[in-house]
Amino acid sequence: MSPPNSRPQPQESRLLVTGTVLFYLFAALAMVMANKWVLQTTQVPLFFLFMQLSIAVVLFLISHAVGLLHIPLYIDGQLIKSFAPTVVLTVVGLSFSNYTLKYVDASFYQVARGLILPFTVATSYVMLHARPSFRILLSCSIVTLGFFVGVFMDAVPISRLGIAFGVTSSAITSVHSVVIKKSLDIVHGSALHLSWYTNLLSAILIIPLFILGGELPGIMELFFESSEAVSSDGGLSAFSTFIWGSIITGSVGFLMNIASTLSIKITSPITHMISSAVRGVAASLLGMWLFDDILSGGRISSIAIILGGSVYYTWIKHVESQSPKPDTSTPQYERVPLEDVEAGNGTPPKPE
């Protein structure tokens, strides 16, 4: 007699993978759209990031208090020193990412940050001495071509400042993907504990940044001069938009932190890249629908080329991972998923 659970397991596994992929798809879209919704009305993007991180920290503490999660509540100087590189890169990367989304259309956001893959491969070669294959370099060239098509052949006016922020945040993300491996060792391989400390320390670090960045007058105006719930035209006021946007993105970011551990275990790189491709297309369509973005031929071509290069890269990495590796002493590079970065997540990337 066969065990009673022998048949349902494959179906349960497929449902788990499907549920996780769909969650990441909708969560990542919600993060980008909610961020754009707030950033197009607020003048305090750094304080907005502080609110997102703070809400995630509060949810971590509540979950710990009710027994849903178990997180370490100790902190000392040595721990702060050990996490300093990761936290600094997280704060700077997220800040530049928010500034990118503030100055470019939601439909162009993926293009503005399209150099993450080439930068990651280059950073891994410099810092980890991981020599990429010719086909990996070809995929990076395709992605880079897509970026330049979007920047120089798009008929829609583009903010050069937004592109500069996007390129810089992409470079920071690539370095972050390398540095984060060392931080994982500090918490004995616990992705959940790494997410907790990254959110907590990032929230603390960003306080002097929004003060030095001159956002205090904007914060005072937001809370004390425009605190009405509804604007004169009947829509949500800047204050209500800010509060609701902070709650949505902070909560979704927290959930993405929690789900990341499960995703790393049960989803393959191919599955992740397919969902990323779907998300890229959906983000462009939602940007056109929600924010009246214009999808020109150049922009559509750019997104398609970047997605094509990314899919080709993932397929090559999958093929290379199946072949025997004669020399395992050479470090291999890994990529941090964009949604984790946007959520302030310090979890390690899935091998690709």
Side-chain angles (χ1 to χ4, degrees), residues 1-8:
M1 181 176 178
S2 61
N5 294 332
S6 60
R7 291 181 179 274

Side-chain angles (χ1 to χ4, degrees), residues 141-161:
S141 300
I142 295 173
V143 171
T144 304
L145 173 63
F147 170 80
F148 284 113
V149 167
V151 171
F152 294 108
M153 298 183 64
D154 193 354
V156 181
I158 306 170
S159 168
R160 300 300 175 184
L161 183 60

Side-chain angles (χ1 to χ4, degrees), residues 41 141 187 216 293 299:
T41 61
S141 300
V187 290
L216 283 180
D293 291 354
R299 186 166 300 187

Side-chain angles (χ1 to χ4, degrees), residues 56-92:
V57 168
V58 170
L59 291 175
F60 265 112
L61 293 172
I62 293 175
S63 300
H64 177 80
V66 300
L68 293 177
L69 302 174
H70 296 285
I71 56 176
L73 299 180
Y74 67 90
I75 189 170
D76 55 29
Q78 182 59 40
L79 187 70
I80 295 174
K81 182 179 178 181
S82 300
F83 273 112
T86 298
V87 172
V88 170
L89 287 172
T90 298
V91 170
V92 176

